[in-house]
Amino acid sequence: MLIAILLPFLSFILRGKIITGIICLILQITLIGWLPAAIWAALSLNNERAEKRNKKLIRAVKESQK
């Protein structure tokens, strides 16, 4: 999460989203764009973590029904 706030573009690149990371870097270059880039990266990271939790929960429910 710290990387997503301090270096938003790097957060995307480390998660394999190269094009998104480049777009975020362009936004981040401007001082005004830094805050939206940091928010975007943090929200994206939280959404990705939530999706992983949901997929794990769905798998567990399906396995318990067998």
Side-chain angles (χ1 to χ4, degrees), residues 3-16:
I3 291 174
I5 294 170
L6 296 178
L7 298 169
F9 77 96
L10 189 59
S11 171
F12 286 113
I13 291 174
L14 289 176
R15 288 185 281 141

Side-chain angles (χ1 to χ4, degrees), residues 53-66:
R53 282 192 307 267
N54 288 341
K55 286 179 183 180
K56 186 177 178 181
L57 182 61
I58 289 170
R59 264 189 273 121
V61 169
K62 284 182 180 180
E63 288 178 5
S64 69
Q65 292 176 349
K66 289 182 180 179

Side-chain angles (χ1 to χ4, degrees), residues 6-31:
L6 296 178
L7 298 169
F9 77 96
L10 189 59
S11 171
F12 286 113
I13 291 174
L14 289 176
R15 288 185 281 141
K17 299 179 179 183
I18 306 300
I19 302 297
T20 307
I22 293 169
I23 293 169
C24 187
L25 177 62
I26 293 169
L27 179 63
Q28 184 181 339
I29 288 173
T30 65
L31 188 59

Side-chain angles (χ1 to χ4, degrees), residues 32-51:
I32 296 171
W34 189 281
L35 183 60
I39 292 170
W40 179 23
L43 289 175
S44 175
L45 180 62
N46 282 338
N47 287 341
E48 189 173 313
R49 288 178 179 171
E51 285 180 30

